[in-house]
Amino acid sequence: LLGAKKILSCPVTATTPKGFLAVYVGEDQVQKKRYIVPVSYLNQPSFQALLTKSEEEFGFHHSMGLLTIACPEDAFINVTSWLKGK
C-alpha cells in the first residue's frame, strides 16, 4: 500500500505526462493531495464510482478549478492500487 502511495503521488509543481491526468484527493477543503493517474482509469467502473460519489456529495465546482475527488485518501489508493494490479 505504501508503494502505491509513492508511485501515484507527486509534487504539485510536477507536469502531467501525456496519457495521464492530475486529480486532487481528500476530504479536507483546504489541503488536498495531487495524484497522477492514467486516463484509462476514467473507463473503469470502480474509478467512475469514486467520481460519481464525489459529484453527488460535493459537486465538481471546486475553488481549485481542478478535478477533485472528495473521498478519504485511503479509499482512493485502494481503488487505484487495485486498478494498477489488473
Side-chain angles (χ1 to χ4, degrees):
L1 185 60
L2 291 176
K5 199 175 212 181
K6 287 180 184 176
I7 291 169
L8 293 173
S9 68
C10 66
V12 173
T13 57
T15 59
T16 306
K18 186 174 183 176
F20 291 80
L21 70 135
V23 295
Y24 290 80
V25 177
E27 296 176 291
D28 184 342
Q29 291 297 333
V30 177
Q31 187 176 18
K32 303 222 182 274
K33 195 161 187 181
R34 182 176 192 256
Y35 287 88
I36 302 296
V37 297
V39 173
S40 62
Y41 283 10
L42 294 173
N43 292 324
Q44 299 298 320
S46 55
F47 195 80
Q48 290 173 358
L50 283 178
L51 291 172
T52 300
K53 183 175 180 182
S54 184
E55 179 186 25
E56 288 171 357
E57 291 185 27
F58 305 100
F60 278 130
H61 303 289
H62 295 279
S63 60
M64 293 174 66
L66 303 164
L67 181 56
T68 303
I69 301 175
C71 74
E73 189 178 358
D74 289 346
F76 176 81
I77 290 170
N78 286 340
V79 169
T80 53
S81 294
W82 181 79
L83 290 171
K84 187 176 181 192
K86 281 179 77 175

